[in-house]
Amino acid sequence: MKTIHRSLVLGASALALASCGADEIASPGTGGNITINNPAPSPTPSPTPTSSAQATAAADCPFVSDPQGLTNRGTISGPTGSYRLCQLPARFNRSSQLQFTDASNAVIYLIDGQVDVGTDGGPAADGSDGLTDTNVTLTIEPGVILAGLDGSYLNVNRGNQIQANGTAARPIIFTSQQNIRGENDENSSGDWGGLIINGRAPITDCLSNTATPGSVNCEREVEGTTTPPRYGGNVPTDSSGSVRFVQLRYSGTVLSNGDELQALTTGGVGSGTTFENIMSYNSADDGVEFFGGVVNMKGLVVVGAEDDSIDTDTGVKATLQYVVAAQRPNVGDTIIEADSSNTLEENTPRQNTLISNATFIQRKNDDQVVRIRGRADYSLFNTIIVDASSNGTPCLRVDTIETLTRAANAGLDEAGPVRFESVVLDCGTPFRDGSGTTAAGVQAQFDAGSNTNSNYTNTLTMTYLPGSNEQALVAFDPTSISSYFDNAGFVGAAGANDTRFEGWTCDSTTIAFGNNSGDCGSLPVYS
């Protein structure tokens, strides 16, 4: 049995910023720490400064290049002030920029229904499919806040791009009207849909049963949408833009067809797309789900997802580094769900997901923390997995003997059996039987990796920062596996005194990063 000990350090509202320059934040959020099985307390970081600064609604909406412009929907008020609501057009037909406005001219950009970036250019980049790219780019400036209504989502179509590049000091925040009005609590979720990005990289599980997997004719429709956009093609290096320093809060609304969206859904995006420092907070479905394509990401935080934290499917090639996934107590499914078990498991490209430098915290009594199935190729490096539920949830489950044992075969696009290097498990039950596999078989493969330990006791502080036990672990160099990886030199998502998750994140009772945009239930106010 694992016990979670929490001590939350709250920033007092009486603390004021000594000075607030153009790039500083005045926020009602808190810092804090959460200690998991920590035998000796470590120094706590300073709490996030708070301020009584209030936003004042702009007199009108900013200019955008798209002919439809922005629709003035009046004002909205909450604990952090008042804001002008400026509704995005149903489709951006011309490249446009959402401008940052400071607290004296505060604007929230409203997503109402399906908002498209450009028109789908089809699976073929050369136009041989009869469709022409609209080449629309939506640029979102650092510090911009967007709010979605129930059932709403932002969709980037093939042949178009999003450039949503926040900064550590000013992340871009996608959230809900409830968040602005101060109506959400620690268990709120599903207020709006999410962010969908589509591309032309290869996928499997084709919509047409006559299409060849991984070819230009292999397309799929976006899961969880009422008028589904399509994704897929044969351009592994395709670019759908850049998403950096972004928070996605309270997503996952249930649509009319009964499906739910993730905070971030990618479909067939290519390696030319940049993903860095993205946070999903309290999604009613998965935190992130990657359907096919080539996804490279450094800096991923998934907090409080009510289904899987990280879901990968349909032949995705994913390389992720510096990952934190933490569940709310008694909420959520697995931290990792890899692929689906169906009749299409031998389709190529075969999924191959590589994760290095991750910390996973499970807090629900459930079947398993990590489930790898569908004959997916999967590797975990420099990873800490902690079960903090009351009854003990097994750490690892691997389904089908092929997933566990099949040798590498380039002709089958097979990378070999699941792999674990410098992975430690703090679970009362480290392994469990799977479909066609046994706990002993999973353990044997786990033990074959270097510097693995299935009988580990964590000393993490603030939920994710290393204590003495973590600092003593021997790290694996993943650069021999993928040049995208850094040789970080530590096990877990962060090293000692690491600040990589500060600034662009938000805090909650589930996990606090400190020195950032404040409490996830509130908004930063920039002066």
Side-chain angles (χ1 to χ4, degrees):
M1 179 179 295
K2 305 287 184 243
T3 304
I4 305 176
H5 305 284
R6 295 189 183 88
S7 61
L8 188 63
V9 179
L10 299 176
S13 60
L15 292 175
L17 288 174
S19 63
C20 192
D23 292 328
E24 293 176 302
I25 300 174
S27 167
T30 64
N33 72 28
I34 299 174
T35 303
I36 296 184
N37 299 324
N38 184 23
S42 297
T44 349
S46 301
T48 302
T50 64
S51 172
S52 58
Q54 291 278 293
T56 302
D60 206 345
C61 293
F63 169 81
V64 297
S65 300
D66 191 274
Q68 296 181 76
L70 302 174
T71 303
N72 188 337
R73 292 280 294 267
T75 61
I76 184 171
S77 298
T80 55
S82 63
Y83 304 83
R84 178 68 52 187
L85 277 178
C86 298
Q87 182 182 333
L88 304 183
R91 185 185 306 277
F92 284 95
N93 292 301
R94 183 181 297 173
S95 293
S96 302
Q97 183 164 314
L98 303 184
Q99 302 172 30
F100 167 77
T101 58
D102 63 22
S104 63
N105 293 283
V107 167
I108 300 286
Y109 295 95
L110 185 67
I111 305 170
D112 187 356
Q114 177 175 326
V115 174
D116 285 295
V117 177
T119 302
D120 181 25
D126 60 5
S128 58
D129 51 16
L131 299 173
T132 303
D133 284 353
T134 49
N135 294 311
V136 172
T137 297
L138 177 63
T139 300
I140 305 176
E141 293 186 346
V144 163
I145 299 174
L146 303 94
L149 300 181
D150 184 27
S152 299
Y153 50 94
L154 179 64
N155 173 66
V156 181
N157 284 303
R158 291 177 295 190
N160 304 278
Q161 291 191 350
I162 184 172
Q163 294 292 337
N165 296 305
T167 65
R170 287 189 178 179
I172 294 165
I173 298 175
F174 289 79
T175 189
S176 66
Q177 287 195 113
Q178 293 91 325
N179 191 191
I180 299 164
R181 292 193 294 256
E183 297 170 350
N184 287 339
D185 60 26
E186 295 289 335
N187 293 309
S188 297
S189 66
D191 292 340
W192 68 293
L195 174 61
I196 302 169
I197 304 178
N198 302 298
R200 293 186 169 118
I203 63 168
T204 63
D205 299 39
C206 315
L207 186 64
S208 168
N209 58 14
T210 62
T212 301
S215 74
V216 70
N217 298 316
C218 186
E219 301 178 87
R220 285 180 57 83
E221 294 180 337
V222 175
E223 175 185 275
T225 55
T226 48
T227 54
R230 291 192 175 189
Y231 60 90
N234 65 348
V235 186
T237 58
D238 189 39
S239 175
S240 300
S242 178
V243 180
R244 302 172 66 246
F245 297 105
V246 168
Q247 295 177 22
L248 298 152
R249 304 181 182 181
Y250 306 108
S251 62
T253 189
V254 178
L255 301 176
S256 58
N257 55 5
D259 290 327
E260 295 168 314
L261 287 168
Q262 290 69 235
L264 173 64
T265 303
T266 69
V269 298
S271 60
T273 310
T274 299
F275 294 108
E276 292 179 4
N277 299 325
I278 297 171
M279 180 179 189
S280 163
Y281 177 71
N282 279 21
S283 170
D285 197 50
D286 300 331
V288 295
E289 186 160 11
F290 307 133
F291 292 95
V294 183
V295 179
N296 297 321
M297 184 182 299
K298 285 180 179 172
L300 172 63
V301 172
V302 179
V303 177
E306 294 180 4
D307 195 1
D308 309 307
S309 297
I310 303 168
D311 199 341
T312 50
D313 214 333
T314 63
V316 66
K317 307 291 188 184
T319 307
L320 315 177
Q321 190 168 24
Y322 311 121
V323 181
V324 174
Q327 293 179 327
R328 309 199 311 265
N330 303 313
V331 172
D333 192 2
T334 62
I335 298 290
I336 287 176
E337 181 176 73
D339 227 308
S340 303
S341 296
N342 56 33
T343 60
L344 307 175
E345 292 173 354
E346 297 301 330
N347 279 188
T348 58
R350 193 182 305 281
Q351 176 182 163
N352 188 7
T353 295
L354 311 171
I355 299 179
S356 185
N357 298 101
T359 300
F360 300 146
I361 310 297
Q362 170 95 2
R363 290 190 172 105
K364 183 185 178 187
N365 300 324
D366 215 329
D367 297 330
Q368 60 272 315
V369 182
V370 171
R371 185 179 187 183
I372 301 171
R373 58 180 178 171
R375 302 185 184 181
D377 296 334
Y378 218 98
S379 299
L380 292 176
F381 311 127
N382 302 315
T383 295
I384 300 168
I385 302 176
V386 177
D387 167 42
S389 62
S390 58
N391 291 338
T393 297
C395 267
L396 291 178
R397 171 179 176 175
V398 178
D399 289 351
T400 74
I401 195 65
E402 291 87 355
T403 309
L404 193 59
T405 64
R406 188 156 61 179
N409 185 324
L412 297 174
D413 192 31
E414 170 63 60
V418 291
R419 183 174 179 180
F420 307 95
E421 307 286 351
S422 295
V423 178
V424 295
L425 311 178
D426 187 353
C427 298
T429 305
F431 311 99
R432 61 154 290 179
D433 294 345
S435 176
T437 63
T438 64
V442 178
Q443 181 172 4
Q445 184 60 27
F446 179 85
D447 290 343
S450 61
N451 299 305
T452 57
N453 184 350
S454 59
N455 190 30
Y456 182 72
T457 300
N458 85 85
T459 55
L460 295 165
T461 65
M462 284 187 69
T463 308
Y464 75 100
L465 287 175
S468 57
N469 287 358
E470 288 72 40
Q471 293 180 51
L473 295 172
V474 178
F476 174 76
D477 181 358
T479 59
S480 61
I481 308 301
S482 170
S483 60
Y484 180 75
F485 284 132
D486 301 328
N487 182 15
F490 54 80
V491 177
N497 304 312
D498 203 326
T499 60
R500 74 178 65 247
F501 293 105
E502 295 182 11
W504 56 277
T505 54
C506 60
D507 289 341
S508 64
T509 58
T510 303
I511 185 170
F513 297 93
N515 301 312
N516 56 20
S517 64
D519 192 284
C520 297
S522 186
L523 298 178
V525 177
Y526 302 98
S527 57

